[in-house]
Amino acid sequence: MLEVLLQQTQAAAPALEPTAAAAIAVGLAAFGAGYAERGIGAAAMGAIAEDNDLFVNGLILTVLPETLVILALVVVFLV
């Protein structure tokens, strides 16, 4: 039965439309960045509470996961 069904279809179609795949890609990138920032933000705030000189380092480490989302958006618009 599966062979008959496969013979009836002329061309294979993608499982997702390109816009849906792009939305899933950006959503997963944002979810991953948020998950990473959860631990980094807590550690950075603890370090800053101990020593105010670590503010810049904590800020940089907190912002780094957001570059993942920006990169995902750039890739979506390029493709």
Side-chain angles (χ1 to χ4, degrees):
M1 178 164 168
L2 182 61
E3 295 170 3
V4 174
L5 181 63
L6 289 175
Q7 289 175 356
Q8 290 176 353
T9 59
Q10 296 296 324
L16 290 174
E17 294 182 19
T19 54
I24 289 173
V26 172
L28 288 175
F31 182 76
Y35 187 75
E37 280 187 41
R38 176 184 62 127
I40 294 171
M45 290 301 108
I48 293 168
E50 294 287 328
D51 185 9
N52 285 337
D53 293 335
L54 295 175
F55 176 76
V56 175
N57 292 339
L59 183 65
I60 290 171
L61 290 175
T62 304
V63 172
L64 276 177
E66 287 299 321
T67 60
L68 178 71
V69 179
I70 294 170
L71 181 63
L73 284 171
V74 168
V75 168
V76 164
F77 285 120
L78 288 178
V79 173

